[in-house]
Amino acid sequence: MLWGGRFSKDPKKNVLEFNSGENISVDERLVPYDIKGSIAHVKMLKAQRILKTDEADEIVKSLEELLAEWKSGKFKLDQNLEDVHMNIEVAVSKKTPHGKKMHTARSRNDQINLDMRLYLRDEVKEIAELLKRMQKALIEQGKNPVEIPAHTHTRVAQPITNKLWGEAYSISFGKDIERLKQLFVRINKNPLGACAISGTTWKIDSNMTAKLLGFDGVEENTIETISSRGELEAEFAFVCSLISTQLSRIAEDLIWLSYVGLVEIPEEYCTGSSIMPNKMNPDVLELVRGRSGRIYGNLMALLTMMKGTPTGHNADTQETKRAIMDSIDTTKACLAISAETISKIKWDKTKGEELIRKGYARATLLADKLAMEGMPFREAHERVGKLVKKLQKEGKYLEDFKEEELKKMIAAL
């Protein structure tokens, strides 16, 4: 092991499997970020004359070659080397003996912190774009307005339009975009220089690596930088949880409204039954609704991991990678399929009118009109309520009568 000087024995095979088996598979997606970070670090070491020009140039060339090999599938991570950092350092050291100097003034602690920030930064942008696509799908639906009933307590409430329904969720997703922008500011700071926890005695230039990597600034406190690992991931997972909450509610709306015939879900976004030939099940929307639980679970896992760790780096935080990556992957998949589904649903205008009529959804409008004409609202509310009860018994609806007829009926109550 690269850190084996202190040890007389290598870790047992099952220990390596336990420590690194899952970690290596997760680290695969961090390879380009680790290489990018290492190139910036080596260029800084060269500028600071910590590395000689030829040493740094050979290391950078080797890192660039390794990135190309990874993209072509020739470079794979080895579990025996524990993580992405060790794998890359060993691979570079095989290409040039100067590779053994690339870890100067750096720890795997600030290195993984860097890799995750570079990864999270890209994912924030991707999810923000998917949210915009979702907003577009919702707004496009409203370009052909259809009057539908709003619901409170799962009962018909008042008339609205599919346009107003779509705008409501579009605004919610806009708030999520704002949250991601705020999160990006906290992510976009350079952690290099924190090293293991107390910084380094080498005269490094963290501002240079920050500039090379596109960061807006440098983290100020080395202890906080290392000890807070998992906070950015938890914050991102929280935003994913809020997004999944909205997606789940949309899915529930469409599942329910399609059952009563107000919305038609295209059959290519449904599946059938293995036994019942008549079934067309909204499985896509059900899975979007169900996967919110997985995203919530990851958030709780992240918070639980952090709550018991003492100040400094702890191996517990290795678990943060899988949790946040799964939340991000799941959120992206749910956003993409939801936007696609919503862009193709159809609203039934006739069914909307029927549900509004049968639910007496215009009762509040009638009560408000009476109040505007001088009747105390509480009296208007009571009288219209009695009218609705009378019409229900008679199997009649508000729309069966003209306004003046309704007023005469109310006056007679």
Side-chain angles (χ1 to χ4, degrees):
M1 310 304 292
L2 294 183
W3 42 259
R6 164 66 177 78
F7 292 76
S8 56
K9 294 180 181 179
D10 283 335
K12 293 177 65 177
K13 185 177 180 180
N14 64 329
V15 171
L16 278 173
E17 172 64 33
F18 179 78
N19 286 356
S20 306
E22 185 181 68
N23 189 48
I24 281 291
S25 64
V26 171
D27 273 9
E28 277 289 346
R29 69 173 69 190
L30 296 180
V31 170
Y33 299 110
D34 199 81
I35 290 176
K36 182 178 181 179
S38 293
I39 289 173
H41 181 68
V42 170
K43 286 182 177 180
M44 180 276 295
L45 293 178
K46 173 184 172 181
Q48 293 299 102
R49 298 185 179 181
I50 295 171
L51 288 181
K52 295 176 182 178
T53 298
D54 61 331
E55 293 174 335
D57 290 349
E58 280 194 36
I59 294 172
V60 169
K61 180 183 177 183
S62 298
L63 284 165
E64 291 171 343
E65 289 174 356
L66 194 62
L67 180 60
E69 291 170 13
W70 177 78
K71 288 179 178 178
S72 67
K74 294 178 181 178
F75 174 63
K76 297 287 185 181
L77 300 187
D78 180 359
Q79 176 185 300
N80 293 316
L81 295 175
E82 296 187 292
D83 54 38
V84 62
H85 323 298
M86 292 296 199
N87 269 270
I88 288 174
E89 186 175 335
V90 168
V92 170
S93 296
K94 288 179 180 178
K95 292 176 178 289
T96 171
H98 304 311
K100 294 181 179 181
K101 294 185 177 183
M102 63 184 282
H103 201 59
T104 304
R106 188 170 60 165
S107 165
R108 284 188 292 176
N109 295 357
D110 61 349
Q111 200 172 351
I112 186 56
N113 205 311
L114 172 70
D115 292 0
M116 288 303 295
R117 286 173 190 241
L118 295 174
Y119 161 72
L120 294 176
R121 197 169 64 178
D122 281 353
E123 295 298 340
V124 162
K125 294 175 183 177
E126 284 196 32
I127 290 184
E129 287 304 312
L130 286 168
L131 284 166
K132 290 175 185 177
R133 191 187 306 174
M134 189 71 182
Q135 288 179 307
K136 182 179 178 181
L138 289 162
I139 297 302
E140 285 291 323
Q141 276 292 316
K143 288 186 176 179
N144 296 307
V146 175
E147 196 171 40
I148 62 174
H151 293 80
T152 60
H153 305 279
T154 69
R155 302 295 185 268
V156 170
Q158 294 173 274
I160 59 168
T161 62
N162 61 336
K163 181 177 185 290
L164 187 64
W165 175 86
E167 285 176 346
Y169 281 112
S170 178
I171 289 170
S172 290
F173 290 128
K175 291 177 181 178
D176 292 322
I177 292 172
E178 286 300 314
R179 292 185 184 100
L180 288 173
K181 287 179 180 178
Q182 293 163 3
L183 173 60
F184 188 89
V185 172
R186 286 183 280 281
I187 290 172
N188 205 34
K189 286 188 176 181
N190 184 17
L192 287 177
C195 291
I197 190 169
S198 59
T200 177
T201 55
W202 292 91
K203 292 183 179 180
I204 62 171
D205 185 351
S206 295
N207 288 313
M208 178 180 175
T209 49
K211 186 176 181 180
L212 288 171
L213 294 168
F215 287 117
D216 292 329
V218 178
E219 287 290 1
E220 296 175 2
N221 187 287
T222 61
I223 295 176
E224 193 278 335
T225 301
I226 299 303
S227 300
S228 65
R229 184 178 165 200
E231 285 185 14
L232 294 172
E233 289 84 348
E235 190 174 354
F236 203 161
F238 172 68
V239 178
C240 288
S241 295
L242 288 178
I243 293 169
S244 70
T245 297
Q246 302 303 334
L247 291 176
S248 180
R249 290 178 62 205
I250 290 173
E252 173 64 10
D253 278 358
L254 296 179
I255 290 168
W256 183 34
L257 295 178
S258 67
Y259 177 71
V260 299
L262 181 55
V263 168
E264 178 186 335
I265 302 170
E267 61 180 55
E268 60 266 35
Y269 297 93
C270 299
T271 61
S273 165
S274 63
I275 186 173
M276 297 171 283
N278 59 305
K279 295 298 295 297
M280 188 181 289
N281 303 321
D283 282 17
V284 166
L285 294 171
E286 289 173 350
L287 285 170
V288 168
R289 185 177 59 185
R291 286 178 185 172
S292 61
R294 186 196 304 181
I295 294 170
Y296 297 165
N298 287 332
L299 174 58
M300 289 309 301
L302 285 161
L303 293 173
T304 304
M305 278 176 234
M306 289 189 293
K307 78 173 185 66
T309 54
T311 302
H313 173 75
N314 300 275
D316 311 46
T317 55
Q318 178 176 300
E319 292 293 297
T320 63
K321 291 184 287 186
R322 187 210 61 80
I324 188 56
M325 287 178 180
D326 182 62
S327 284
I328 289 170
D329 291 346
T330 305
T331 300
K332 286 164 63 176
C334 289
L335 275 170
I337 199 68
S338 294
E340 195 175 314
T341 304
I342 286 170
S343 68
K344 297 184 179 180
I345 62 172
K346 294 180 181 177
W347 300 83
D348 190 320
K349 182 178 181 180
T350 301
K351 191 66 179 180
E353 293 170 350
E354 177 191 334
L355 292 172
I356 288 170
R357 185 175 71 255
K358 289 184 176 180
Y360 300 88
R362 292 190 171 88
T364 305
L365 295 174
L366 180 56
D368 282 341
K369 188 138 194 171
L370 292 171
M372 289 175 187
E373 292 173 356
M375 184 182 292
F377 178 75
R378 281 298 163 212
E379 182 181 343
H381 186 286
E382 183 179 0
R383 285 176 176 268
V384 173
K386 287 180 178 179
L387 175 63
V388 168
K389 184 176 182 180
K390 178 178 182 294
L391 294 178
Q392 283 178 325
K393 287 182 178 179
E394 297 173 356
K396 298 176 182 178
Y397 305 100
L398 294 171
E399 288 79 6
D400 296 338
F401 304 91
K402 295 180 180 179
E403 186 178 306
E404 291 306 314
E405 292 176 311
L406 290 172
K407 287 180 179 178
K408 287 179 181 179
M409 294 166 67
I410 286 172
L413 291 173

PDB file of all heavy atoms in Angstrom, residues 117 186 189-194 197-199 206-207 216-226 228:
ATOM      1  N   ARG A 117     -16.860  18.182  -5.118  1.00  0.00           N
ATOM      2  CA  ARG A 117     -17.345  19.516  -5.473  1.00  0.00           C
ATOM      3  C   ARG A 117     -17.406  19.685  -6.991  1.00  0.00           C
ATOM      4  O   ARG A 117     -18.359  20.278  -7.521  1.00  0.00           O
ATOM      5  CB  ARG A 117     -16.460  20.593  -4.853  1.00  0.00           C
ATOM      6  CG  ARG A 117     -16.678  20.745  -3.354  1.00  0.00           C
ATOM      7  CD  ARG A 117     -15.668  21.695  -2.742  1.00  0.00           C
ATOM      8  NE  ARG A 117     -15.719  21.660  -1.291  1.00  0.00           N
ATOM      9  CZ  ARG A 117     -16.015  22.704  -0.513  1.00  0.00           C
ATOM     10  NH1 ARG A 117     -16.298  23.868  -1.063  1.00  0.00           N
ATOM     11  NH2 ARG A 117     -16.035  22.582   0.801  1.00  0.00           N
ATOM     12  N   ARG A 186     -22.068  27.720  -2.498  1.00  0.00           N
ATOM     13  CA  ARG A 186     -21.350  27.053  -1.405  1.00  0.00           C
ATOM     14  C   ARG A 186     -20.449  25.933  -1.915  1.00  0.00           C
ATOM     15  O   ARG A 186     -19.398  25.659  -1.349  1.00  0.00           O
ATOM     16  CB  ARG A 186     -22.354  26.526  -0.372  1.00  0.00           C
ATOM     17  CG  ARG A 186     -22.957  27.638   0.464  1.00  0.00           C
ATOM     18  CD  ARG A 186     -23.897  27.094   1.523  1.00  0.00           C
ATOM     19  NE  ARG A 186     -25.203  26.769   1.008  1.00  0.00           N
ATOM     20  CZ  ARG A 186     -26.162  27.655   0.755  1.00  0.00           C
ATOM     21  NH1 ARG A 186     -25.935  28.941   0.955  1.00  0.00           N
ATOM     22  NH2 ARG A 186     -27.342  27.284   0.302  1.00  0.00           N
ATOM     23  N   LYS A 189     -16.252  26.535  -4.014  1.00  0.00           N
ATOM     24  CA  LYS A 189     -15.077  27.053  -3.314  1.00  0.00           C
ATOM     25  C   LYS A 189     -14.013  25.971  -3.275  1.00  0.00           C
ATOM     26  O   LYS A 189     -14.322  24.786  -3.076  1.00  0.00           O
ATOM     27  CB  LYS A 189     -15.442  27.488  -1.897  1.00  0.00           C
ATOM     28  CG  LYS A 189     -16.222  28.788  -1.835  1.00  0.00           C
ATOM     29  CD  LYS A 189     -16.379  29.266  -0.401  1.00  0.00           C
ATOM     30  CE  LYS A 189     -17.075  30.613  -0.344  1.00  0.00           C
ATOM     31  NZ  LYS A 189     -17.202  31.104   1.060  1.00  0.00           N
ATOM     32  N   ASN A 190     -12.771  26.375  -3.422  1.00  0.00           N
ATOM     33  CA  ASN A 190     -11.655  25.440  -3.517  1.00  0.00           C
ATOM     34  C   ASN A 190     -11.255  24.900  -2.138  1.00  0.00           C
ATOM     35  O   ASN A 190     -10.866  25.666  -1.260  1.00  0.00           O
ATOM     36  CB  ASN A 190     -10.456  26.155  -4.154  1.00  0.00           C
ATOM     37  CG  ASN A 190      -9.282  25.236  -4.386  1.00  0.00           C
ATOM     38  OD1 ASN A 190      -9.413  24.019  -4.371  1.00  0.00           O
ATOM     39  ND2 ASN A 190      -8.114  25.829  -4.597  1.00  0.00           N
ATOM     40  N   PRO A 191     -11.311  23.562  -1.937  1.00  0.00           N
ATOM     41  CA  PRO A 191     -10.913  22.980  -0.651  1.00  0.00           C
ATOM     42  C   PRO A 191      -9.434  22.595  -0.603  1.00  0.00           C
ATOM     43  O   PRO A 191      -8.924  22.248   0.466  1.00  0.00           O
ATOM     44  CB  PRO A 191     -11.789  21.734  -0.557  1.00  0.00           C
ATOM     45  CG  PRO A 191     -11.904  21.276  -1.988  1.00  0.00           C
ATOM     46  CD  PRO A 191     -11.940  22.543  -2.814  1.00  0.00           C
ATOM     47  N   LEU A 192      -8.758  22.629  -1.751  1.00  0.00           N
ATOM     48  CA  LEU A 192      -7.351  22.226  -1.772  1.00  0.00           C
ATOM     49  C   LEU A 192      -6.513  23.149  -0.895  1.00  0.00           C
ATOM     50  O   LEU A 192      -6.644  24.372  -0.956  1.00  0.00           O
ATOM     51  CB  LEU A 192      -6.807  22.245  -3.205  1.00  0.00           C
ATOM     52  CG  LEU A 192      -7.286  21.125  -4.124  1.00  0.00           C
ATOM     53  CD1 LEU A 192      -6.724  21.307  -5.533  1.00  0.00           C
ATOM     54  CD2 LEU A 192      -6.916  19.752  -3.583  1.00  0.00           C
ATOM     55  N   GLY A 193      -5.663  22.542  -0.094  1.00  0.00           N
ATOM     56  CA  GLY A 193      -4.873  23.290   0.866  1.00  0.00           C
ATOM     57  C   GLY A 193      -5.246  22.928   2.288  1.00  0.00           C
ATOM     58  O   GLY A 193      -4.473  23.135   3.226  1.00  0.00           O
ATOM     59  N   ALA A 194      -6.460  22.354   2.434  1.00  0.00           N
ATOM     60  CA  ALA A 194      -6.870  21.888   3.764  1.00  0.00           C
ATOM     61  C   ALA A 194      -6.092  20.635   4.137  1.00  0.00           C
ATOM     62  O   ALA A 194      -5.875  20.342   5.309  1.00  0.00           O
ATOM     63  CB  ALA A 194      -8.371  21.614   3.786  1.00  0.00           C
ATOM     64  N   ILE A 197      -6.198  17.948   7.581  1.00  0.00           N
ATOM     65  CA  ILE A 197      -7.093  18.742   8.424  1.00  0.00           C
ATOM     66  C   ILE A 197      -6.493  20.085   8.822  1.00  0.00           C
ATOM     67  O   ILE A 197      -7.200  21.055   9.041  1.00  0.00           O
ATOM     68  CB  ILE A 197      -7.505  17.973   9.703  1.00  0.00           C
ATOM     69  CG1 ILE A 197      -8.626  18.728  10.431  1.00  0.00           C
ATOM     70  CG2 ILE A 197      -6.299  17.762  10.638  1.00  0.00           C
ATOM     71  CD1 ILE A 197      -9.286  17.949  11.533  1.00  0.00           C
ATOM     72  N   SER A 198      -5.153  20.152   8.896  1.00  0.00           N
ATOM     73  CA  SER A 198      -4.515  21.373   9.427  1.00  0.00           C
ATOM     74  C   SER A 198      -3.710  22.127   8.389  1.00  0.00           C
ATOM     75  O   SER A 198      -2.848  22.937   8.715  1.00  0.00           O
ATOM     76  CB  SER A 198      -3.613  21.007  10.603  1.00  0.00           C
ATOM     77  OG  SER A 198      -2.617  20.083  10.190  1.00  0.00           O
ATOM     78  N   GLY A 199      -3.997  21.884   7.112  1.00  0.00           N
ATOM     79  CA  GLY A 199      -3.271  22.592   6.059  1.00  0.00           C
ATOM     80  C   GLY A 199      -1.902  21.978   5.785  1.00  0.00           C
ATOM     81  O   GLY A 199      -1.669  20.803   6.062  1.00  0.00           O
ATOM     82  N   SER A 206      -3.401  28.331  -3.262  1.00  0.00           N
ATOM     83  CA  SER A 206      -4.778  27.823  -3.418  1.00  0.00           C
ATOM     84  C   SER A 206      -5.602  28.695  -4.347  1.00  0.00           C
ATOM     85  O   SER A 206      -6.553  28.218  -4.981  1.00  0.00           O
ATOM     86  CB  SER A 206      -5.462  27.723  -2.057  1.00  0.00           C
ATOM     87  OG  SER A 206      -4.818  26.765  -1.238  1.00  0.00           O
ATOM     88  N   ASN A 207      -5.262  29.956  -4.443  1.00  0.00           N
ATOM     89  CA  ASN A 207      -5.982  30.843  -5.360  1.00  0.00           C
ATOM     90  C   ASN A 207      -5.723  30.448  -6.817  1.00  0.00           C
ATOM     91  O   ASN A 207      -6.606  30.565  -7.659  1.00  0.00           O
ATOM     92  CB  ASN A 207      -5.566  32.294  -5.134  1.00  0.00           C
ATOM     93  CG  ASN A 207      -6.118  32.847  -3.834  1.00  0.00           C
ATOM     94  OD1 ASN A 207      -7.298  32.682  -3.535  1.00  0.00           O
ATOM     95  ND2 ASN A 207      -5.267  33.482  -3.043  1.00  0.00           N
ATOM     96  N   ASP A 216     -14.965  30.090  -7.360  1.00  0.00           N
ATOM     97  CA  ASP A 216     -15.119  31.517  -7.068  1.00  0.00           C
ATOM     98  C   ASP A 216     -14.231  31.983  -5.928  1.00  0.00           C
ATOM     99  O   ASP A 216     -14.030  33.185  -5.741  1.00  0.00           O
ATOM    100  CB  ASP A 216     -16.577  31.834  -6.717  1.00  0.00           C
ATOM    101  CG  ASP A 216     -17.496  31.683  -7.919  1.00  0.00           C
ATOM    102  OD1 ASP A 216     -17.031  31.928  -9.045  1.00  0.00           O
ATOM    103  OD2 ASP A 216     -18.670  31.318  -7.727  1.00  0.00           O
ATOM    104  N   GLY A 217     -13.717  31.047  -5.138  1.00  0.00           N
ATOM    105  CA  GLY A 217     -12.886  31.425  -3.999  1.00  0.00           C
ATOM    106  C   GLY A 217     -12.282  30.195  -3.353  1.00  0.00           C
ATOM    107  O   GLY A 217     -12.334  29.092  -3.895  1.00  0.00           O
ATOM    108  N   VAL A 218     -11.695  30.405  -2.176  1.00  0.00           N
ATOM    109  CA  VAL A 218     -11.006  29.338  -1.439  1.00  0.00           C
ATOM    110  C   VAL A 218     -11.654  29.177  -0.069  1.00  0.00           C
ATOM    111  O   VAL A 218     -12.013  30.172   0.577  1.00  0.00           O
ATOM    112  CB  VAL A 218      -9.510  29.688  -1.272  1.00  0.00           C
ATOM    113  CG1 VAL A 218      -8.785  28.621  -0.471  1.00  0.00           C
ATOM    114  CG2 VAL A 218      -8.852  29.873  -2.647  1.00  0.00           C
ATOM    115  N   GLU A 219     -11.814  27.946   0.375  1.00  0.00           N
ATOM    116  CA  GLU A 219     -12.331  27.711   1.728  1.00  0.00           C
ATOM    117  C   GLU A 219     -11.355  28.294   2.752  1.00  0.00           C
ATOM    118  O   GLU A 219     -10.143  28.171   2.611  1.00  0.00           O
ATOM    119  CB  GLU A 219     -12.526  26.215   1.973  1.00  0.00           C
ATOM    120  CG  GLU A 219     -13.716  25.616   1.229  1.00  0.00           C
ATOM    121  CD  GLU A 219     -15.061  26.076   1.775  1.00  0.00           C
ATOM    122  OE1 GLU A 219     -15.082  26.884   2.736  1.00  0.00           O
ATOM    123  OE2 GLU A 219     -16.099  25.635   1.240  1.00  0.00           O
ATOM    124  N   GLU A 220     -11.893  28.914   3.797  1.00  0.00           N
ATOM    125  CA  GLU A 220     -11.060  29.679   4.718  1.00  0.00           C
ATOM    126  C   GLU A 220     -10.444  28.854   5.844  1.00  0.00           C
ATOM    127  O   GLU A 220      -9.303  29.081   6.229  1.00  0.00           O
ATOM    128  CB  GLU A 220     -11.900  30.808   5.342  1.00  0.00           C
ATOM    129  CG  GLU A 220     -12.385  31.820   4.313  1.00  0.00           C
ATOM    130  CD  GLU A 220     -13.305  32.861   4.925  1.00  0.00           C
ATOM    131  OE1 GLU A 220     -13.519  32.800   6.152  1.00  0.00           O
ATOM    132  OE2 GLU A 220     -13.796  33.722   4.183  1.00  0.00           O
ATOM    133  N   ASN A 221     -11.190  27.889   6.390  1.00  0.00           N
ATOM    134  CA  ASN A 221     -10.750  27.166   7.584  1.00  0.00           C
ATOM    135  C   ASN A 221     -10.536  25.698   7.258  1.00  0.00           C
ATOM    136  O   ASN A 221     -11.463  25.008   6.805  1.00  0.00           O
ATOM    137  CB  ASN A 221     -11.789  27.328   8.695  1.00  0.00           C
ATOM    138  CG  ASN A 221     -11.334  26.740  10.012  1.00  0.00           C
ATOM    139  OD1 ASN A 221     -11.298  25.522  10.168  1.00  0.00           O
ATOM    140  ND2 ASN A 221     -10.995  27.595  10.963  1.00  0.00           N
ATOM    141  N   THR A 222      -9.323  25.207   7.469  1.00  0.00           N
ATOM    142  CA  THR A 222      -8.998  23.837   7.077  1.00  0.00           C
ATOM    143  C   THR A 222      -9.795  22.805   7.880  1.00  0.00           C
ATOM    144  O   THR A 222     -10.231  21.789   7.329  1.00  0.00           O
ATOM    145  CB  THR A 222      -7.492  23.568   7.255  1.00  0.00           C
ATOM    146  OG1 THR A 222      -7.136  23.741   8.634  1.00  0.00           O
ATOM    147  CG2 THR A 222      -6.673  24.526   6.401  1.00  0.00           C
ATOM    148  N   ILE A 223      -9.979  23.054   9.165  1.00  0.00           N
ATOM    149  CA  ILE A 223     -10.724  22.093   9.996  1.00  0.00           C
ATOM    150  C   ILE A 223     -12.171  22.004   9.537  1.00  0.00           C
ATOM    151  O   ILE A 223     -12.728  20.917   9.388  1.00  0.00           O
ATOM    152  CB  ILE A 223     -10.655  22.480  11.492  1.00  0.00           C
ATOM    153  CG1 ILE A 223      -9.213  22.384  11.995  1.00  0.00           C
ATOM    154  CG2 ILE A 223     -11.567  21.586  12.327  1.00  0.00           C
ATOM    155  CD1 ILE A 223      -9.027  22.827  13.432  1.00  0.00           C
ATOM    156  N   GLU A 224     -12.790  23.158   9.307  1.00  0.00           N
ATOM    157  CA  GLU A 224     -14.185  23.167   8.863  1.00  0.00           C
ATOM    158  C   GLU A 224     -14.323  22.501   7.507  1.00  0.00           C
ATOM    159  O   GLU A 224     -15.277  21.763   7.258  1.00  0.00           O
ATOM    160  CB  GLU A 224     -14.699  24.608   8.813  1.00  0.00           C
ATOM    161  CG  GLU A 224     -16.211  24.742   8.676  1.00  0.00           C
ATOM    162  CD  GLU A 224     -16.722  24.614   7.254  1.00  0.00           C
ATOM    163  OE1 GLU A 224     -15.939  24.888   6.308  1.00  0.00           O
ATOM    164  OE2 GLU A 224     -17.900  24.250   7.076  1.00  0.00           O
ATOM    165  N   THR A 225     -13.370  22.742   6.633  1.00  0.00           N
ATOM    166  CA  THR A 225     -13.417  22.168   5.288  1.00  0.00           C
ATOM    167  C   THR A 225     -13.447  20.648   5.341  1.00  0.00           C
ATOM    168  O   THR A 225     -14.244  20.003   4.644  1.00  0.00           O
ATOM    169  CB  THR A 225     -12.201  22.628   4.459  1.00  0.00           C
ATOM    170  OG1 THR A 225     -12.216  24.055   4.376  1.00  0.00           O
ATOM    171  CG2 THR A 225     -12.226  22.045   3.062  1.00  0.00           C
ATOM    172  N   ILE A 226     -12.590  20.069   6.157  1.00  0.00           N
ATOM    173  CA  ILE A 226     -12.522  18.607   6.246  1.00  0.00           C
ATOM    174  C   ILE A 226     -13.671  18.046   7.080  1.00  0.00           C
ATOM    175  O   ILE A 226     -14.293  17.044   6.713  1.00  0.00           O
ATOM    176  CB  ILE A 226     -11.163  18.161   6.841  1.00  0.00           C
ATOM    177  CG1 ILE A 226     -10.008  18.629   5.942  1.00  0.00           C
ATOM    178  CG2 ILE A 226     -11.116  16.651   7.033  1.00  0.00           C
ATOM    179  CD1 ILE A 226     -10.072  18.157   4.508  1.00  0.00           C
ATOM    180  N   SER A 228     -16.638  19.200   7.631  1.00  0.00           N
ATOM    181  CA  SER A 228     -18.000  19.421   7.125  1.00  0.00           C
ATOM    182  C   SER A 228     -18.325  18.558   5.915  1.00  0.00           C
ATOM    183  O   SER A 228     -19.387  18.745   5.309  1.00  0.00           O
ATOM    184  CB  SER A 228     -18.193  20.893   6.754  1.00  0.00           C
ATOM    185  OG  SER A 228     -17.347  21.254   5.669  1.00  0.00           O
TER     186      SER A 228
END
